[in-house]
Amino acid sequence: MTKYIESMSDGVLAPTPERLAVIYSEIEHLQHLVGDLRTLSQADAGELTLHKQPVAPEELIQRAQAAFEHRAEQQGITLQVAPQGATPPVTVDEIRMTQVLSNLLSNALRYTPPGGQIVLGAAARGDGVELSVRDTGAGIPPADLPFVFNRFYRADKSRSDEGESGLGLAIVKALVEAHGGTIEALSELGRGTTMLIHLPTA
């Protein structure tokens, strides 16, 4: 990108709207990457500030569904909340947990074809609450499954996922663990992927 800007500065390339849009997109991508790395650095150092308060798990997933419903419709994907019984509240930072669900939904939408389905769920499990994001996408190869939460790891090497930092699932794991929770990925090739988040109750 630096040479691109230098070429325009030197008059070799004209600063057209299209070329400026490319530069702006790259700047946004770099800003996103820096923000993601800062979040992970803070989590690693135990310096991630969390503003926790009791929240109903149903509210978290319903809000996530509402935020991504239009995008899912545009892609021809059904996004719904599974029927559920009452679940105890969890003590979380709502902004950070919204980030967790947003990252998981973005991934699910990226790998689920038109006509597919994504289901969000919340249920009481043992001494806590389980949040789930299930999709009917391509699935993850068994050999890749243990590494999906690693930084910059991509199960599908043929995809560059332009605009993505490659840190989405690493951030999800760091934020969930900062809340005293755990996350697990279950997947079957050609059948889809399920992300399970277990959080302690309030």
Side-chain angles (χ1 to χ4, degrees):
M1 184 178 69
T2 302
K3 289 184 178 180
Y4 204 58
I5 295 173
E6 287 176 351
S7 295
M8 283 193 286
S9 178
D10 294 340
V12 177
L13 288 175
T16 64
E18 292 78 15
R19 287 168 179 160
L20 291 173
V22 170
I23 292 172
Y24 181 71
S25 176
E26 284 299 310
I27 290 171
E28 277 194 321
H29 175 58
L30 289 172
Q31 288 176 333
H32 184 58
L33 177 59
V34 169
D36 286 349
L37 288 170
R38 184 183 296 115
T39 298
L40 286 171
S41 176
Q42 290 172 332
D44 288 345
E47 298 173 351
L48 195 62
T49 302
L50 297 176
H51 303 286
K52 295 183 180 181
Q53 59 183 358
V55 181
E58 295 86 352
E59 288 183 20
L60 290 173
I61 61 172
Q62 287 167 359
R63 203 173 302 142
Q65 191 262 356
F68 281 82
E69 189 172 25
H70 180 64
R71 179 176 162 188
E73 286 178 358
Q74 288 183 315
Q75 294 182 217
I77 297 169
T78 301
L79 173 58
Q80 63 187 43
V81 173
Q84 60 226 337
T87 54
V90 288
T91 303
V92 298
D93 182 317
E94 286 191 67
I95 292 176
R96 291 302 191 179
M97 286 311 300
T98 296
Q99 184 180 359
V100 165
L101 292 172
S102 293
N103 282 3
L104 293 179
L105 279 171
S106 292
N107 260 16
L109 286 167
R110 194 173 302 121
Y111 294 106
T112 301
Q117 185 180 58
I118 300 172
V119 180
L120 297 168
R125 289 284 186 272
D127 60 348
V129 169
E130 182 181 86
L131 304 181
S132 60
V133 179
R134 307 174 191 272
D135 68 58
T136 58
I140 302 168
D144 291 309
L145 202 54
F147 308 105
V148 294
F149 296 106
N150 290 4
R151 298 170 193 189
F152 301 110
Y153 190 83
R154 298 189 190 281
D156 189 345
K157 311 300 188 298
S158 66
R159 298 184 59 146
S160 63
D161 286 340
E162 186 177 348
E164 296 298 320
S165 68
L167 295 170
L169 290 180
I171 287 176
V172 164
K173 184 173 186 287
L175 292 178
V176 169
E177 290 180 348
H179 283 84
T182 60
I183 183 166
E184 177 184 13
L186 307 175
S187 190
E188 186 178 346
L189 275 178
R191 299 290 296 275
T193 299
T194 299
M195 293 289 179
L196 299 175
I197 299 169
H198 187 274
L199 295 169
T201 52

